[in-house]
Amino acid sequence: MPDLSTPAQPLKTDSSGSVSRRVTFTQYEPRVDESPRSTVAKIETRNVNFHYGTTQALFDISMSIPQQRVTALIGPSGCGKSTFLRTLNRMNDLIEGRQISGEVLIDGTNIYHPDVDVVALRKRVGMVFQKSNPFPKSIYENVAYGPRIAGVSRRSVLDGIVEQALKNAGLWDEVSHRLRDSALNLSGGQQQRLCIARTLATNPDVVLMDEPASALDPASTARVEDLIFELKQSYTIVIVTHNMQQAARVSDTTAFFYEGHLVEMGPTPQMFTRPRQKKTEAYITGRFS
């Protein structure tokens, strides 16, 4: 169990204020976001515990995730990041033998209340997975799939939804002339942006991303990161990443998980330059992974 009480010493900086560590803001400049900081919580979790059978994966996780901001979840493999992410739209419900306690509130409503419609919840809280998973259908039908399932059948309405979702995902200019082509013919980066468009087509409030760029080349990763930065103007985004540079570049808030515990959470610049806990400092500086 991590020592959550031990404060970290401020990380050393050079004359320019850059952090002297393996992952630095000198090499990977965070974006400058001049939009007003949101202080309104979109999601709140209260003492969330999660078990896979007899194995406990999350311990009393309480946090507040601001709306229309990017929150990055970082930490070593197996520390509970993805498990926690999946509690936010009840994807873990599909796991046999799982047990969860505590509350997950979205706009003040506990999504684990028995009266909650889980299908409606997952439209509202979309998910983008680590590996792009386009359906073996056309580009158009991939994006139109969710709205069709929701009962939208009018072609002109579907056309508008597909176009807007592809534009929001930064893909429209690349595929507008071949919407009837198979989605499987797209490049890896395009397939991942198509999956993001498919998620946006259901008009969610929240977009969850589980390492969305880990399988992409640097150019495609940069496009996805650009897209994340743009999308937060309209959506609340929670992203799991093992890439410290990516967390520094795209997120407003960073939460560090270790062995199922939330060790520390705060504004990303503070987390990367003045972490409060020694374990956070050790992870960010690469002294353990």
Side-chain angles (χ1 to χ4, degrees), residues 119 122-123 135 137 139-153 158 161-162 197-203:
V119 174
R122 290 178 188 152
K123 292 177 186 174
F135 302 144
K137 299 174 179 287
I139 295 168
Y140 182 98
E141 289 300 331
N142 264 266
V143 182
Y145 181 83
R148 283 192 196 279
I149 293 296
V152 178
S153 58
L158 285 171
I161 291 173
V162 169
R198 191 173 65 198
T199 297
L200 300 181
T202 61
N203 196 29

Side-chain angles (χ1 to χ4, degrees), residues 1 119 199 264 266 276:
M1 177 174 177
V119 174
T199 297
E264 182 174 355
R276 297 187 301 272

